[in-house]
Amino acid sequence: MIANFALLTAFLFLFNQLFRHFLTKRSHSLQFKLLVGILHGVCALLLLLFSFRVNQTTFIDFRHIIVICSAFFGGLPASLVTALFVVIGRLSFFGPLTSTAMAASVTITLLGIGSGLIMQSIEQYWRRWIFSLLLSVTLILTMSLLFGATMDTFIYLVLILSGGLFSAAMIAFFSYSNQLAQELENSERRYRSLHMLQEAIFQSSVGTMITVFDPEGRITHINRAANTMLGYQADELIGRETPLIFHDPEEIAAYSGELSRMMGKPFSGIDVLVYCSMKGPSEGREWSYIRKDGYRLTISLIVSPLWLDGEITGFIGTATDITERKKMENTLQQLSLMDGLTEIANRRNFDETLKKEWKRAERNGSLNGLSLIMLDIDYFKAYNDSYGHQAGDDCLRKVTAIGKRTVERSSDTIARYGGEEFAIILPDTNAKGASELAERLRFAIENERIPHLGSKISDVVTISVGFSTCNPNAGGLPEQLIADADQALYYSKANGRNRVTDYQALMYINPNEQPKC
C-alpha cells in the first residue's frame, strides 16, 4: 500500500507537470479526455501490480482513487477508459474469472460511471470528491458484505478515504499553483508586450524628446529625439545630471529665486523640475533649451513623477519643440499691435502701453511724470479730396516717418490713434521736455514742405498739437491724461492750427479750468 501511495503521488505530480497548461482550461476535447483516461489507466495497471494480497481472491490497492482522479480531469469518458483498464488488468493479473473478480470489475465500472457523472454535474470542488469517495466506499462495502467483510475491509475503506482526500488536496494544490503560474505567465506576456510598445513609442517619438531621470536628477533614459532636437547622442546624456545640461541656466536660476521667495525655502537645480512635476500646469511650462551647437529652442516641458509602491522613483520629462510656433505667435502678436498702413503702434497697442507706463510711473515714483502728445494733420479731409485717398495714405506714412525720426528714445511710443490723429507716450518726461519735442515735430513736418492745396492756413501739410503731463503718484487715471491732451489738441485746432498747446496753459487762459490729473 505504501508503494501504491508512492506511485499514485508520483503519477499525479508528473501528470500535472506535463499537462498543466491544458488543465487550466475550462473545457477539453474528447481526444484529450480519452488521453487522460488512458494515462490514468496505465497508472491503474501499475497500482494493480503492487496490490496487497488479502487472501487468494481479494487484492486491495488504490485503483478506485485513480478512477476518481481520471473522472476529475476528463469526466465520464476518461473514467470509463480508466475503469476498462482496471477490469482488463484485474482479469489478466489475478487469475481466472471468479465471482470475486466479477464483483471487483462491476464495482470499478460502476465507480467509473458514477464518479464521471458526479464530476460533470457538481460544480463545487470538495463536494465532487466527497460524493465520489462516498460512492467508492459504498460500492466496496456492499461487495464486501456480499462476500464476507473482515477487519481488513474496514482498514481498506479507511485507506481509500484518507488516500482519496489526500489526492484531492494535492490536486487542489496543483490547480491553485497552475492558476498562479498561468496568471504570472500572462502578466509576464502583458509586461513584455507593454514594454515593447512603450519602447517603440519611446523611441519613435521624433518631435517629442522624452527624458527619464532619477530623484537626484541623473538621466537614466532618453529617446532618439534628443539627437534630432538637441544634437546629443544618448551616451552623451545618460548618467549626467539635469537640468543644467541643455536648460538655460539663467532661466533655472531665475525660477529658483522666484520659488525660494514664494515658498520661503531654498530652491536650486533639480528642485525646480521636481516642483514643476508636482505643482506645474498640466499643459506644461515654457523653457529654453540650448542645442549642442548653441542654437536656442523654445520648448514646452511637462514633468511627471514615476511612482512605485507609493514612492517616487524618478521623473519623466516630455519636451516638445515650439520654437516655430512661438515665432509665429510673436509675429501675429506684433501684427495685432501694429497699424497696417503706417507700421507703428495701433490704438490697441497704445492703450496697453499707456496703462503699462502709468503703472510703472506709479510704482517707481517718477519725478518728471508721464507726458502724452496728441497731434492731428490739419485739414486732412481736404487733402484727401484734393489728392485722393492713395496720396492721403502716402501723406500719413510721411508724417509717421518724420515722427519716428523726431522721437529718439526707445522708451517713447508713437502710435496711430485713429484716422489722421497720432499719439506719443513719453515716460519720465516733464512738461518742458514734452513741449520741446512737440514743437520740433511740428516744425519738422511743416519744414518737409508736403504740398497741401486744400489747407486754409498754409500751402503745405501742418499739424495741430496738444499735450499734457501728469504725475500718477498724485492719483487720477490714464484716461484723464488722454482727455487732457485731447482738450489741448482741440484748443490748438480751434485757435489757428499749426501750433502746440500745453494743457497746463489752459488753466491760465481759462481760470475756471482746474487740473484733473
Side-chain angles (χ1 to χ4, degrees):
M1 293 304 293
I2 292 174
N4 258 241
F5 182 75
L7 282 170
L8 178 63
T9 304
F11 172 79
L12 292 176
F13 176 78
L14 291 173
F15 180 78
N16 178 77
Q17 290 298 108
L18 291 173
F19 297 98
R20 65 186 185 90
H21 290 290
F22 295 94
L23 298 179
T24 54
K25 296 180 180 179
R26 296 187 64 85
S27 61
H28 301 98
S29 64
L30 179 61
Q31 290 86 344
F32 179 76
K33 293 178 180 179
L34 294 177
L35 177 61
V36 169
I38 292 171
L39 292 175
H40 282 74
V42 172
C43 179
L45 295 178
L46 292 175
L47 295 176
L48 287 172
L49 289 176
F50 288 90
S51 295
F52 174 72
R53 182 188 292 271
V54 178
N55 50 49
Q56 291 295 325
T57 59
T58 304
F59 303 86
I60 59 174
D61 47 56
F62 283 154
R63 74 188 82 161
H64 298 82
I65 297 176
I66 200 66
V67 170
I68 297 174
C69 291
S70 179
F72 174 78
F73 290 116
L76 182 59
S79 61
L80 286 176
V81 171
T82 304
L84 179 61
F85 270 75
V86 174
V87 171
I88 295 173
R90 176 68 175 80
L91 296 177
S92 301
F93 297 159
F94 303 113
L97 184 61
T98 62
S99 58
T100 306
M102 286 296 296
S105 299
V106 171
T107 300
I108 205 69
T109 302
L110 292 174
L111 178 62
I113 297 171
S115 61
L117 294 174
I118 289 171
M119 292 296 180
Q120 290 182 176
S121 58
I122 298 177
E123 291 292 331
Q124 211 278 333
Y125 180 83
W126 284 104
R127 287 183 182 177
R128 294 178 181 180
W129 278 93
I130 291 172
F131 286 144
S132 296
L133 289 172
L134 289 176
L135 175 62
S136 174
V137 168
T138 302
L139 292 171
I140 294 171
L141 185 58
T142 301
M143 292 300 176
S144 298
L145 291 175
L146 292 176
F147 291 94
T150 64
M151 183 57 66
D152 292 331
T153 301
F154 295 101
I155 295 174
Y156 178 51
L157 293 176
V158 173
L159 290 174
I160 291 293
L161 284 173
S162 58
L165 292 174
F166 177 80
S167 299
M170 186 164 59
I171 291 173
F173 173 76
F174 288 154
S175 299
Y176 180 68
S177 300
N178 293 341
Q179 182 181 355
L180 291 180
Q182 186 67 42
E183 291 177 356
L184 180 60
E185 290 176 3
N186 292 338
S187 297
E188 288 177 350
R189 279 196 294 270
R190 286 194 297 270
Y191 171 77
R192 285 193 294 270
S193 298
L194 289 173
H195 180 71
M196 292 173 63
L197 178 61
Q198 170 190 311
E199 189 66 19
I201 295 173
F202 187 74
Q203 295 298 346
S204 65
S205 298
V206 178
T208 302
M209 177 176 159
I210 303 174
T211 310
V212 181
F213 51 95
D214 63 21
E216 285 71 41
R218 289 185 297 270
I219 297 175
T220 58
H221 295 83
I222 198 159
N223 67 343
R224 294 192 187 98
N227 178 255
T228 305
M229 187 181 295
L230 298 177
Y232 288 99
Q233 298 294 333
D235 56 4
E236 295 181 271
L237 298 176
I238 292 178
R240 297 183 64 185
E241 291 187 6
T242 189
L244 298 181
I245 305 173
F246 37 78
H247 277 264
D248 183 346
E250 293 183 0
E251 282 188 0
I252 295 293
Y255 194 40
S256 296
E258 181 183 333
L259 289 177
S260 299
R261 291 189 296 272
M262 183 174 65
M263 305 300 293
K265 62 180 182 179
F267 277 77
S268 63
I270 188 64
D271 299 336
V272 172
L273 298 186
V274 172
Y275 179 85
C276 288
S277 73
M278 301 299 184
K279 306 291 185 181
S282 58
E283 68 274 11
R285 180 185 175 90
E286 289 184 12
W287 295 95
S288 294
Y289 274 4
I290 300 175
R291 283 176 51 88
K292 189 177 180 180
D293 58 11
Y295 184 76
R296 193 181 188 88
L297 302 174
T298 302
I299 59 99
S300 176
L301 177 65
I302 300 175
V303 182
S304 306
L306 298 174
W307 295 88
L308 181 64
D309 297 331
E311 295 185 359
I312 295 178
T313 58
F315 301 87
I316 181 168
T318 306
T320 306
D321 185 359
I322 59 171
T323 305
E324 294 304 318
R325 192 185 83 189
K326 290 300 293 182
K327 288 181 180 178
M328 182 65 70
E329 287 177 357
N330 290 337
T331 301
L332 293 174
Q333 177 71 7
Q334 290 298 321
L335 291 174
S336 70
L337 297 175
M338 182 183 295
D339 179 63
L341 176 65
T342 60
E343 296 185 353
I344 59 174
N346 60 13
R347 175 64 180 272
R348 174 186 172 192
N349 193 345
F350 167 82
D351 291 338
E352 292 179 0
T353 303
L354 183 60
K355 289 178 182 178
K356 181 178 66 176
E357 294 298 342
W358 184 278
K359 289 180 180 179
R360 181 181 296 172
E362 278 185 324
R363 185 170 59 250
N364 298 336
S366 173
L367 296 177
N368 291 321
L370 178 65
S371 294
L372 176 65
I373 295 175
M374 303 284 286
L375 62 100
D376 191 275
I377 299 175
D378 294 326
Y379 299 108
F380 187 70
K381 181 179 183 304
Y383 188 95
N384 277 331
D385 293 341
S386 299
Y387 299 98
H389 288 283
Q390 187 169 354
D393 291 344
D394 290 337
C395 179
L396 290 173
R397 281 191 283 263
K398 289 177 182 178
V399 170
T400 301
I402 297 169
K404 290 168 71 174
R405 290 198 305 267
T406 307
V407 178
E408 298 174 346
R409 296 190 309 177
S410 59
S411 59
D412 299 339
T413 301
I414 180 170
R416 186 180 179 191
Y417 194 74
E420 70 276 15
E421 192 171 358
F422 295 82
I424 304 173
I425 302 172
L426 303 172
D428 195 25
T429 303
N430 57 23
K432 183 176 181 296
S435 176
E436 291 175 353
L437 177 61
E439 190 57 46
R440 286 201 311 270
L441 181 58
R442 186 203 64 77
F443 177 77
I445 291 174
E446 183 179 24
N447 200 46
E448 189 70 14
R449 311 300 295 176
I450 303 171
H452 189 354
L453 297 178
S455 176
K456 296 179 182 180
I457 60 170
S458 175
D459 58 353
V460 295
V461 170
T462 59
I463 60 171
S464 296
V465 186
F467 72 90
S468 178
T469 301
C470 187
N471 186 352
N473 287 326
L477 295 171
E479 290 78 9
Q480 188 60 52
L481 181 62
I482 297 173
D484 292 347
D486 191 58
Q487 188 170 346
L489 171 60
Y490 178 79
Y491 185 87
S492 292
K493 293 170 68 175
N495 291 272
R497 301 180 188 261
N498 192 22
R499 61 178 293 170
V500 175
T501 301
D502 179 2
Y503 174 75
Q504 298 294 327
L506 296 182
M507 291 186 294
Y508 299 100
I509 298 171
N510 183 5
N512 295 323
E513 185 71 30
Q514 296 295 323
K516 302 182 179 63
C517 183

